[in-house]
Amino acid sequence: DQQVKQNSPSLSVQEGRISILNCDYTNSMFDYFLWYKKYPAEGPTFLISISSIKDKNEDGRFTVFLNKSAKHLSLHIVPSQPGDSAVYFCAASERYGGATNKLIFGTGTLLAVQP
Amino acid sequence: DAMVIQNPRYQVTQFGKPVTLSCSQTLNHNVMYWYQQKSSQAPKLLFHYYDKDFNNEADTPDNFQSRRPNTSFCFLDIRSPGLGDAAMYLCATSRGTGVREKLFFGSGTQLSVL
């Protein structure tokens, strides 16, 4: 059962426009969310995160929004650049014993930014 | 630069022939993870080490084993690979296992089983 869902396998956006990547989750116990970015032939790298006590976190061109009631988060990239073309993974942190947490990943969304 | 290094980048093995994937880190992180990612699927945690303390996920097949001889190195052993074990295997590290910990990933090893 997929607890973190990214329903759009791919997204194509024009350079300079906004990219919006969506993520839904089912477990209300998740309390921290992260986005990772992956280029071909490289491992995922951390991009931005948000705690469940916030509804927005911004870092430069990247903003993550969290809607806890809807169990939904989104990553906005403004303006989009060709170098942003990559696979974006949404992840949620799940506590599963003591102080131990683990990340549950979504299936990823391939973003293509067209020049 | 401090990093997580996985070798080899591509690994081909035969059905049933044991194979070992390697991961090393220069970050001096306490925790090392192995994830399996099949095509178009989410990365799935197989197990992790906190220092020498091994933590296996409940649904990780017995066919998968791991060793961490020291802080820097961690190995994934697949005792009898099946066709269904063909996947990208990602090694990752973190300082701890707290809720805000970020994972640092290697580039992965793409395993093919013939």
Side-chain angles (χ1 to χ4, degrees):
Chain A
D1 181 31
Q2 193 71 19
Q3 296 188 73
V4 178
K5 301 176 183 178
Q6 294 178 258
N7 292 318
S8 297
S10 63
L11 174 68
S12 183
V13 172
Q14 285 293 120
E15 181 178 5
R17 306 293 290 270
I18 184 171
S19 295
I20 300 176
L21 296 93
N22 293 304
C23 178
D24 297 293
Y25 62 95
T26 58
N27 189 341
S28 58
M29 298 302 292
F30 289 150
D31 53 7
Y32 197 71
F33 302 89
L34 307 91
W35 285 91
Y36 281 79
K37 176 179 178 180
K38 183 183 182 304
Y39 291 118
E42 295 183 13
T45 55
F46 170 76
L47 182 61
I48 192 169
S49 61
I50 187 166
S51 168
S52 61
I53 62 172
K54 295 187 175 182
D55 55 16
K56 176 182 174 181
N57 188 29
E58 190 172 353
D59 183 3
R61 296 185 297 113
F62 302 91
T63 303
V64 56
F65 295 92
L66 176 62
N67 183 334
K68 285 189 67 177
S69 61
K71 295 190 180 68
H72 176 84
L73 62 157
S74 60
L75 174 67
H76 293 213
I77 307 173
V78 183
S80 301
Q81 300 174 354
D84 296 328
S85 298
V87 176
Y88 289 80
F89 289 99
C90 174
S93 185
E94 177 184 46
R95 186 180 295 271
Y96 74 122
T100 301
N101 293 269
K102 66 177 181 179
L103 288 186
I104 308 296
F105 284 89
T107 53
T109 296
L110 174 62
L111 173 66
V113 180
Q114 309 296 333
Chain B
D1 285 341
M3 55 197 336
V4 181
I5 302 166
Q6 290 189 245
N7 286 305
R9 182 73 180 89
Y10 299 94
Q11 176 74 57
V12 179
T13 191
Q14 291 182 329
F15 183 93
K17 185 175 181 181
V19 66
T20 295
L21 309 182
S22 302
C23 178
S24 64
Q25 56 130 341
T26 60
L27 297 160
N28 204 32
H29 281 173
N30 294 310
V31 191
M32 295 188 77
Y33 307 80
W34 281 103
Y35 281 83
Q36 178 194 62
Q37 185 185 14
K38 296 184 178 180
S39 181
S40 301
Q41 295 185 21
K44 178 180 177 297
L45 181 64
L46 295 174
F47 26 59
H48 75 274
Y49 273 95
Y50 195 119
D51 290 331
K52 291 189 179 295
D53 186 21
F54 178 70
N55 298 273
N56 197 32
E57 292 299 298
D59 56 355
T60 298
D62 292 340
N63 199 24
F64 290 84
Q65 306 284 318
S66 186
R67 296 170 283 135
R68 189 179 185 186
N70 53 53
T71 300
S72 301
F73 287 88
C74 195
F75 300 98
L76 170 61
D77 301 308
I78 309 176
R79 292 191 297 186
S80 182
L83 298 179
D85 296 328
M88 172 70 77
Y89 289 88
L90 293 164
C91 174
T93 72
S94 65
R95 290 175 304 173
T97 56
V99 66
R100 294 175 184 271
E101 288 294 342
K102 300 174 184 60
L103 268 60
F104 294 79
F105 284 87
S107 299
T109 293
Q110 183 68 51
L111 178 68
S112 299
V113 181
L114 304 180

